[in-house]
Amino acid sequence: MILESALLQVTLGDTKLFENDFATASKFISSIPGYISHELHHCIENPTDYLLLVRWETLEDHTEGFRKSEAYEEWKKLLHHYYNPFPKVKHFTRII
């Protein structure tokens, strides 16, 4: 299993709209083969920050399967305009 993480910094004043659009966008990511689950966490200290965690069976399920899909195009349309700056995505594998 691969854990994808992204710190999402949403533009001030757009957090409620972002949360609503994220709920809609969730159906696109969850439709991809190799998707396991995802979580969106809201930062307590900084209300414009969110942490996205996505579990994939393999790295390629995310980088090839999702990122090159029509579902990703819909995801981008719904969510990418909220980010400032654009998030850096990292992938992790569990060791313990």
Side-chain angles (χ1 to χ4, degrees):
M1 185 207 62
I2 299 298
L3 179 64
E4 169 198 352
S5 74
L7 178 60
L8 310 176
Q9 295 174 290
V10 174
T11 51
L12 188 62
D14 285 341
T15 57
K16 290 299 176 201
L17 290 170
F18 167 73
E19 290 175 14
N20 289 337
D21 283 345
F22 189 90
T24 301
S26 290
K27 68 182 177 186
F28 295 111
I29 196 168
S30 63
S31 71
I32 300 300
Y35 162 89
I36 298 171
S37 67
H38 72 279
E39 304 169 14
L40 182 65
H41 298 265
H42 193 208
C43 182
I44 295 168
E45 292 83 9
N46 188 349
T48 60
D49 287 356
Y50 294 81
L51 177 63
L52 173 62
L53 300 173
V54 185
R55 288 169 183 80
W56 298 97
E57 289 180 17
T58 68
L59 178 62
E60 292 75 22
D61 290 331
H62 177 228
T63 59
E64 301 293 320
F66 182 52
R67 288 267 179 94
K68 294 182 178 180
S69 70
E70 289 181 26
Y72 181 67
E73 294 303 315
E74 295 301 318
W75 172 274
K76 281 181 11 179
K77 286 180 200 172
L78 281 167
L79 301 176
H80 283 196
H81 64 278
Y82 289 111
Y83 307 141
N84 185 24
F86 196 77
K88 292 181 180 164
V89 174
K90 296 181 181 180
H91 299 93
F92 298 86
T93 186
R94 186 173 181 167
I95 56 170
I96 295 179

